[in-house]
Amino acid sequence: QVQLVESGGGLVQPGGSLSLSCVASGSIFSIVAMGWYRQAPGKERELVATINAGHAINYADSVKGRFTISRGDNKNTVYLQMNTLRPEDTAVYYCNAYIYDSERRHDAYWGQGTQVTVSS
């Protein structure tokens, strides 16, 4: 069984910074890609940033130049550094990973979500 566990998040003032991390654990053979999505109240879940095994990175236009996604050295961890935060960044942030497990089954997995609130 595969699990994604997120940490970080919280309350920050506009213009501030926060860092999120997500660790994948369990019967993992390989991780194809990891990323972050977010869902604000009353809105659909949207992509924030993704990074694949080849380190190709994709950002939503709304976060380009402010957010940075990276993978940990052990390849099972993904980080999201969020700078110059805006009130519109307020949302529940979800970690996502596309994983082949030890039996070579593949699927997309989600973390439980972590709240990010940007407010003065």
Side-chain angles (χ1 to χ4, degrees):
Q1 188 172 357
V2 174
Q3 286 187 321
L4 301 182
V5 178
E6 300 134 338
S7 60
L11 173 64
V12 65
Q13 292 186 344
S17 298
L18 280 175
S19 180
L20 306 180
S21 62
C22 171
V23 179
S25 63
S27 303
I28 296 171
F29 173 71
S30 69
I31 299 177
V32 176
M34 300 186 80
W36 293 93
Y37 290 71
R38 66 187 182 187
Q39 187 166 19
K43 294 188 177 182
E44 294 187 352
R45 191 173 298 188
E46 63 176 5
L47 179 146
V48 176
T50 60
I51 181 169
N52 67 18
H55 295 277
I57 290 174
N58 182 44
Y59 291 106
D61 288 343
S62 60
V63 307
K64 283 180 181 176
R66 301 187 298 122
F67 291 11
T68 302
I69 189 170
S70 61
R71 294 281 292 273
D73 289 340
N74 66 6
K75 307 303 181 187
N76 283 11
T77 304
V78 64
Y79 304 99
L80 185 69
Q81 178 63 41
M82 304 182 291
N83 297 328
T84 320
L85 282 160
R86 304 167 180 168
E88 54 264 39
D89 295 317
T90 295
V92 178
Y93 284 69
Y94 295 91
C95 178
N96 170 270
Y98 198 84
I99 293 174
Y100 281 83
D101 66 18
S102 58
E103 306 209 357
R104 307 305 188 264
R105 296 170 299 195
H106 54 92
D107 204 351
Y109 295 86
W110 292 91
Q112 78 282 2
T114 185
Q115 178 70 46
V116 172
T117 302
V118 185
S119 175
S120 55

